[in-house]
Amino acid sequence: MLKARRTPIIAGNWKMHKTAAEAVNFVQELRPAVAGQNGVEVVVCPSFVALVPVIEALKGSNIGVAAQNVFWEKQGAYTGEVSPLMLKEAGCRYVIIGHSERRQYFGERDETVNRKLKAALAHGLTPIVCVGEQLAEREAGVTEKVIRTQTEAALAGLLPEQAAGLVVAYEPVWAIGTGKTASDEDAQQVIGFIRTLVEGMYGLEAAGRMRIQYGGSVKPENIAGLMARPDIDGALVGGASLTVDSFAAIVKGAGVKI
Ligand code: PGA
């Protein structure tokens, strides 16, 4: 399971921040700030209404664009939803699925995460699937049980080749937006556990190719330590992705070769 086979991926999850105009200004500054940073894939995740102008502004660059959510149907009477077909046509490469805020505020469950994931794959989008335990679950010592349930349900029914191409983000809920990062060791332990689960489901080859990020209060100061761990392939970054300086510093930190 050599890490060298997996290109690290740093994704900036802007959540409900930045108007379309602000988003375009941001990526215009980001382009030169991360140009020449080889060996790291960079992704930004704007709101739905900013996707098209951001994709336009990034033409000719290697920076990828992700949506923050998707519905599982291709089209139909689903007021307020956005389909994987629409995202693909708009030029999205990735889509975040099952973020803990979607689970907490918008009723997402493991089963809907799985439906969305399959729909995204069927339309050629790469899912960034989020899993993570709550603080009470960690304190009760059931982190691995929770992660196992979420991962097995989210990733059920795929082909090994599809599983290999996914990005999973391990985001302990208690570390999101709190300033409390999981220790490098705790993050590695859970991410290594996820990789072992995937090996059990889809075999060694898929588990060895799948990229697994850490998310939760990632900053320029802590990225290098996380990246030094064998199973951590990048980060899903919230707060620190909102300014060009800190996001670009995280991208650079992820490029540090070990
Ligand atoms: P944070 O958010 O970096 O602000 O903790 C991470 C996320 O929710 O993806």
Side-chain angles (χ1 to χ4, degrees), residues 17-221:
H17 294 285
K18 298 191 190 299
T19 65
E22 289 166 348
V24 167
N25 283 342
F26 182 98
V27 295
Q28 281 166 348
E29 281 179 43
L30 182 67
R31 278 182 81 147
V34 297
Q37 191 62 43
N38 297 320
V40 185
E41 204 176 333
V42 182
V43 176
V44 292
C45 318
S47 76
F48 282 130
V49 293
L51 286 173
V52 170
V54 163
I55 288 164
E56 193 59 34
L58 286 174
K59 284 241 163 79
S61 86
N62 287 330
I63 301 171
V65 176
Q68 298 176 16
N69 185 26
V70 65
F71 192 54
W72 55 78
E73 295 290 349
K74 197 162 115 186
Q75 59 183 37
Y78 304 103
T79 302
E81 293 297 321
V82 176
S83 87
L85 178 70
M86 294 168 181
L87 295 180
K88 183 66 188 174
E89 194 206 75
C92 288
R93 208 181 294 166
Y94 294 95
V95 57
I96 299 174
I97 297 177
H99 189 278
S100 64
E101 286 151 16
R102 303 257 4 132
R103 297 177 191 252
Q104 187 181 349
Y105 304 125
F106 305 101
E108 267 191 38
R109 291 168 288 119
D110 291 335
E111 188 228 329
T112 55
V113 170
N114 183 248
R115 291 184 79 168
K116 290 180 175 199
L117 183 138
K118 286 177 176 157
L121 287 170
H123 287 87
L125 295 162
T126 298
I128 301 175
V129 195
C130 304
V131 296
E133 81 286 0
Q134 316 261 356
L135 182 59
E137 293 165 336
R138 173 158 287 265
E139 285 173 350
V142 294
T143 298
E144 289 197 350
K145 183 166 172 283
V146 170
I147 297 297
R148 173 189 291 274
T149 303
Q150 290 182 0
T151 305
E152 288 182 347
L155 273 51
L158 306 182
L159 299 168
E161 190 56 31
Q162 291 177 313
L166 291 181
V167 179
V168 171
Y170 165 57
E171 299 206 304
V173 178
W174 48 269
I176 295 179
T178 58
K180 286 187 206 146
T181 326
S183 68
D184 301 342
E185 201 175 319
D186 285 344
Q188 162 60 32
Q189 197 191 334
V190 177
I191 289 177
F193 175 70
I194 294 171
R195 205 176 294 286
T196 306
L197 285 176
V198 174
E199 185 184 333
M201 294 173 82
Y202 295 112
L204 196 59
E205 169 75 19
R209 280 173 50 201
M210 176 189 279
R211 292 183 289 178
I212 311 180
Q213 300 172 308
Y214 168 78
S217 298
V218 172
K219 300 181 269 291
E221 301 77 53

